[in-house]
Amino acid sequence: MQQHCLICRRTAPDANLYCEQTYCPGELSPLILEQGEHIADIEIVRPVTILRSGVVYAGVRQGEPVYVKVAHQGAGHKERLKREAELCAVAQVKKVATPFLPTLLPINLLKTGKQETYGKTMIAGRLLYYYVFAYVEAESLRGILRKQPQLWTQHIGWIAIGVATAVAYLHRRRVFHFALAPESVLVYFDAEAPNTPRILLVDLGICSLADNLGESWYPDFLPPVYTAPELIDDRRRQPKSSGTQVPPNAQVDVYGLGLLLYEMLIGAPPIPDLLRGDEAVYALAMRGPQAPMDRVDDVRPIAELARQCTDVQMNKRLPDPAAFGQQLMAFFGAIPEEPKKSRRPSQRTIYMVAGAVLTVAFLLALAFSMAQGLLT
């Protein structure tokens, strides 16, 4: 395990992280599993995305790739992960068309009958809660934006529509997210033009019903840059400590969607957070995006949509994620259907088969030649 700071992004391989910066509570940083370590029967390959509430890892189980999500230490993180796993399980049982949510896999392949939606295991004296879900070769939106800050506008639109569709599904079940960030989303692209991006929402935020916010709420899951102003106590410059103070309003998640769109358009975080402590970032977040929107000339309607949905006054935003998605589809069109996998073997497979055939033919010819020599 290594220790990883969610604020300054420093790591320490000996789990003894220290930072001289006063805003950086290094000793509270979560431990991150490294390549070769195990969660139950799953071998960790790499961390894919690190969130305030947990980590999504790529892993291998019985030779097959899987994703495993592990909650950070703390009662709030563990209970949040349980709610998330249970919601994904309900979506699968009801056979709801939710292509943008994780598809749960069994916790224990050897166990038959009904299984828990999440598991728990002890590692280095720590009880870890986790769940397993289906693998697809993907990268976090954060990682993609680091490599290519200015995505093709059409791809930006389709990514935003995918996230809005997933969040709209949560809202239909009266579940709120409240913590949308580039780390929450995995993205993969079709191999063929127009290389349509597909998303997987691997973090469902607070994942709580409106009636249960008072019980479910805890502020540690919130990413400061992406926290809506109405979730922040302006006097303390901290997230509101009680769920009873949080507005159970769909427009809170509209702000998160708008902020993701804003960041993809300008190619940089709308609120600067590098080398700033949480308190300073929350103070900036109460004022909404500070980075200038410089896409008005080429995609004015979408730039205006991002501005509207990140207004610090909640009632000035669109009413819900469904309306946000509809506005985007009117401009970009619907996301193209995913192409069916071709039954034709890949070029690599063809080359491998051809090589094997040539090798066998060569060996047969050599054996025949040697036999002829012996006969003569």
Side-chain angles (χ1 to χ4, degrees):
M1 287 186 176
Q2 64 177 353
Q3 206 168 11
H4 176 89
C5 181
L6 297 170
I7 297 177
C8 70
R9 301 180 178 90
R10 290 181 173 88
T11 60
D14 58 359
N16 190 26
L17 186 64
Y18 169 77
C19 181
E20 67 276 7
Q21 300 294 336
T22 57
Y23 62 76
C24 181
E27 69 281 0
L28 300 179
S29 303
L31 292 173
I32 307 298
L33 297 170
E34 298 182 85
Q35 183 178 8
E37 295 189 275
H38 284 76
I39 286 279
D41 61 343
I42 299 170
E43 181 180 351
I44 299 300
V45 175
R46 61 186 172 89
V48 177
T49 185
I50 301 175
L51 302 144
R52 284 284 174 137
S53 58
V55 185
V56 175
Y57 298 95
V60 176
R61 181 168 65 179
Q62 296 188 11
E64 294 295 327
V66 296
Y67 284 124
V68 55
K69 186 169 185 180
V70 182
H72 292 322
Q73 294 291 291
H77 296 319
K78 294 172 184 176
E79 293 302 319
R80 196 214 64 81
L81 180 130
K82 292 180 187 179
R83 294 194 300 272
E84 183 170 282
E86 288 164 1
L87 178 62
C88 291
V90 167
Q92 287 174 225
V93 169
K94 292 182 176 293
K95 298 183 179 179
V96 178
T98 53
F100 306 127
L101 298 185
T103 300
L104 293 190
L105 297 177
I107 294 297
N108 187 344
L109 292 179
L110 300 179
K111 184 179 177 182
T112 58
K114 185 178 180 181
Q115 295 204 34
E116 294 289 338
T117 56
Y118 62 90
K120 46 189 174 182
T121 187
M122 290 291 295
I123 297 182
R126 293 173 171 84
L127 183 62
L128 300 183
Y129 285 71
Y130 68 97
Y131 67 81
V132 188
F133 61 102
Y135 183 84
V136 61
E137 188 65 38
E139 187 176 1
S140 73
L141 180 56
R142 168 65 68 210
I144 289 171
L145 291 175
R146 284 195 184 116
K147 292 189 298 185
Q148 188 183 350
Q150 299 277 198
L151 295 172
W152 180 30
T153 309
Q154 187 70 46
H155 282 177
I156 289 173
W158 284 336
I159 290 171
I161 291 169
V163 180
T165 302
V167 178
Y169 168 74
L170 298 182
H171 282 218
R172 287 198 300 274
R173 299 198 62 83
R174 301 189 67 249
V175 171
F176 293 105
H177 193 292
F178 289 173
L180 286 168
E183 289 80 3
S184 308
V185 183
L186 299 189
V187 182
Y188 59 101
F189 297 85
D190 290 349
E192 300 176 359
N195 307 113
T196 306
R198 314 285 174 183
I199 73 101
L200 195 61
L201 187 64
V202 295
D203 183 74
L204 306 187
I206 191 62
C207 197
S208 174
L209 295 168
D211 296 341
N212 297 337
L213 274 174
E215 178 184 345
S216 304
W217 183 259
Y218 74 110
D220 294 344
F221 80 102
L222 289 167
V225 168
Y226 304 93
T227 301
E230 56 271 15
L231 301 181
I232 303 171
D233 185 329
D234 55 359
R235 291 174 299 177
R236 297 170 53 246
R237 294 195 296 180
Q238 293 288 339
K240 291 178 177 177
S241 56
S242 171
T244 58
Q245 302 171 330
V246 173
N249 195 310
Q251 289 169 305
V252 179
D253 279 331
V254 170
Y255 179 87
L257 291 167
L259 214 58
L260 283 182
L261 179 61
Y262 202 113
E263 180 164 348
M264 286 191 288
L265 286 172
I266 67 172
I271 298 169
D273 68 328
L274 192 60
L275 299 181
R276 285 183 167 91
D278 283 359
E279 186 174 323
V281 176
Y282 282 122
L284 293 174
M286 287 189 293
R287 294 157 42 196
Q290 277 94 64
M293 173 52 70
D294 57 6
R295 301 299 300 274
V296 175
D297 291 336
D298 59 341
V299 283
R300 180 181 293 273
I302 304 307
E304 293 298 337
L305 177 64
R307 281 176 168 172
Q308 178 188 358
C309 292
T310 53
D311 197 294
V312 294
Q313 296 185 46
M314 192 166 56
N315 60 1
K316 291 187 177 180
R317 304 170 200 157
L318 291 181
D320 53 49
F324 180 85
Q326 288 164 5
Q327 291 259 17
L328 289 171
M329 283 192 283
F331 188 88
F332 293 106
I335 302 173
E337 290 188 12
E338 197 161 0
K340 294 181 180 179
K341 292 184 179 179
S342 173
R343 295 185 179 180
R344 181 183 176 184
S346 67
Q347 197 77 4
R348 181 169 178 267
T349 303
I350 292 171
Y351 288 152
M352 290 175 65
V353 171
V357 169
L358 288 173
T359 301
V360 171
F362 172 76
L363 292 174
L364 289 173
L366 182 62
F368 180 77
S369 176
M370 291 175 65
Q372 288 290 96
L374 290 173
L375 290 175
T376 57

